Amino acid sequence: MGGRSAGLTAGLDRAASAEDLFRRTSARLRRTVPFDSAVWTATDPETGLVTAPMLVEGLGGRDRCADYWESEILEENVVPFRDLARAAVPAAGLRAATGDLPGRSARFRLLLEGQGVHDELRAVLRTGGRPWAVVSLFRSAGGAFAPDEVDVVAGLSGPLAVRLRRFARPAGPEPLPDAPGPGLVLFDPSGEATSINAEAREHLARVPDGPSVPSALGVRLPIWVVGTALQARAIARGRDRGGARVRVRTAEGSWLVCHASALTGVDGRPGPVALVIEPAAASDLVVIVAEAYELTPRELEITGHVARGLSTGEIAERLFISPHTVRDHLKTVFEKTGVSSRGELVARLFAEHYWPRAHAGP
């Protein structure tokens, strides 16, 4: 990481949450890479879809956020986040990427140009091959983002992602409040929410504040809900693969999982999108919790066998490694997770995430 990027991250370990990290970084970055407005949002590290928290600065009409993500997911655009997540350099300027012809991007033609945006610099904050957040910086005047400015933002990708990943760690046990069962929201083929059950209303009332859009159902839908439904439509159209699935932490600190799928109507025509919001099961959180503690795939595998009650010898036999190697891996896992026994380890990784104290983060 270059010196300019390193200076921007100094002291950011004091950030209390993901949103606080976004605010601190944005304020510092603006002095080095001038911009007029910005969007910072956490993403699900497995699917790359936006989740909470989301910080929007300097943009009027936050309801337009839904239009931005609809364009990102459903339209042909230049340097989409899904490509940046896999690119050698996880940041790019729109004008530079289009040879100073930003109109090649639907996002610019249909949204940004009408809002007076001259250029966009976007980046994926990633570590360990997983995206933990995305950021878009918008400049209305002062020329396009220069290559050295893109380099500065790219240099922030790993260090900020590492900090964001830590916010997914359980904060300690406390009783889980009674949570409702699965919530259901139905969207028509055009993307309008048409039905919702009481359980979904309860879940949505517990999520952190953030950009949302109104609906005819009398409830505002967070952008991550809208984005998940849009992703289901994109998959149905053959525009993307994978799952329309995100995990989000509630205001109290417990976890929800939101997943959607597009249904088929009469004669194979596109039908509604069914979106489910429900409390996350242990299987929904294994990857997030393992990433939060920086466990390797092998360390996570061994920890899973420990959770099932297998002895050191039994684990060694299953994995075709020596008992000594198993013990070495467990010692490393204990150090990373801050525990001293198998019982504490199981509680930390496979139980405590049901009872985290309020601790904002992806």
Side-chain angles (χ1 to χ4, degrees):
M1 180 174 62
R4 295 173 72 187
S5 298
L8 290 169
T9 61
L12 288 181
D13 284 332
R14 292 192 292 272
S17 65
E19 185 172 4
D20 186 31
L21 181 68
F22 291 157
R23 291 187 187 281
R24 289 170 181 253
T25 307
S26 192
R28 292 184 182 188
L29 183 60
R30 192 188 294 265
R31 295 191 289 267
T32 302
V33 179
F35 57 88
D36 299 297
S37 52
V39 176
W40 300 76
T41 182
T43 55
D44 187 293
E46 282 195 277
T47 63
L49 295 180
V50 297
T51 182
M54 180 181 292
L55 174 66
V56 179
E57 298 181 314
L59 289 173
R62 297 174 97 194
D63 290 351
R64 297 299 303 275
C65 279
D67 297 331
Y68 182 85
W69 294 109
E70 181 173 2
S71 176
E72 175 72 19
I73 294 171
L74 294 182
E75 295 172 345
E76 291 295 333
N77 280 294
V78 177
V79 291
F81 286 123
R82 63 176 174 271
D83 288 352
L84 277 181
R86 299 186 295 268
V89 178
L94 179 59
R95 285 189 174 269
T98 60
D100 205 27
L101 295 172
R104 289 170 50 195
S105 170
R107 182 176 65 256
F108 183 85
R109 292 194 313 272
L110 302 178
L111 291 172
L112 302 183
E113 187 174 25
Q115 297 181 59
V117 172
H118 180 72
D119 197 10
E120 176 187 9
L121 195 171
R122 48 175 36 200
V124 174
L125 309 185
R126 68 189 186 190
T127 186
R130 297 189 184 276
W132 287 87
V134 295
V135 56
S136 287
L137 309 178
F138 304 101
R139 185 175 283 173
S140 301
F145 288 101
D148 65 323
E149 293 176 318
V150 175
D151 289 344
V152 169
V153 176
L156 293 173
S157 175
L160 292 181
V162 168
R163 287 165 172 78
L164 288 166
R165 183 171 62 182
R166 292 171 186 159
F167 291 125
R169 294 181 179 181
E174 79 178 31
L176 178 69
D178 292 335
L184 177 65
V185 185
L186 292 180
F187 295 81
D188 67 22
S190 70
E192 293 295 321
T194 58
S195 302
I196 186 172
N197 67 2
E199 288 82 359
R201 292 180 185 274
E202 288 187 60
H203 287 308
L204 292 176
R206 298 171 57 220
V207 301
D209 291 335
S212 60
V213 296
S215 72
L217 303 174
V219 61
R220 295 188 68 90
L221 300 175
I223 292 300
W224 51 266
V225 165
V226 175
T228 306
L230 288 169
Q231 179 69 4
R233 290 169 61 193
I235 293 170
R237 295 181 185 182
R239 288 189 49 82
D240 207 347
R241 298 177 181 177
R245 187 181 190 88
V246 298
R247 286 149 299 193
V248 63
R249 234 166 179 172
T250 67
E252 305 93 35
S254 56
W255 287 89
L256 299 173
V257 61
C258 174
H259 49 97
S261 60
L263 308 180
T264 302
V266 178
D267 299 328
R269 288 176 294 183
V273 168
L275 181 141
V276 175
I277 310 173
E278 58 187 336
S283 58
D284 294 315
L285 298 175
V286 167
V287 169
I288 282 187
V289 175
E291 288 281 338
Y293 287 105
E294 302 178 40
L295 301 183
T296 66
R298 177 63 94 185
E299 289 166 353
L300 178 60
E301 186 177 25
I302 289 174
T303 302
H305 288 311
V306 169
R308 298 182 188 96
L310 272 66
S311 68
T312 297
E314 290 170 327
I315 296 172
E317 185 176 349
R318 286 204 179 191
L319 301 182
F320 302 102
I321 57 179
S322 71
H324 178 72
T325 300
V326 173
R327 285 190 287 270
D328 281 347
H329 280 303
L330 278 176
K331 180 180 178 182
T332 302
V333 171
F334 285 179
E335 291 174 351
K336 287 182 176 181
T337 57
V339 302
S340 57
S341 70
R342 290 181 173 221
E344 287 182 58
L345 177 63
V346 173
R348 178 66 52 89
L349 295 190
F350 296 98
E352 284 186 9
H353 58 257
Y354 284 113
W355 303 282
R357 295 189 180 94
H359 195 171

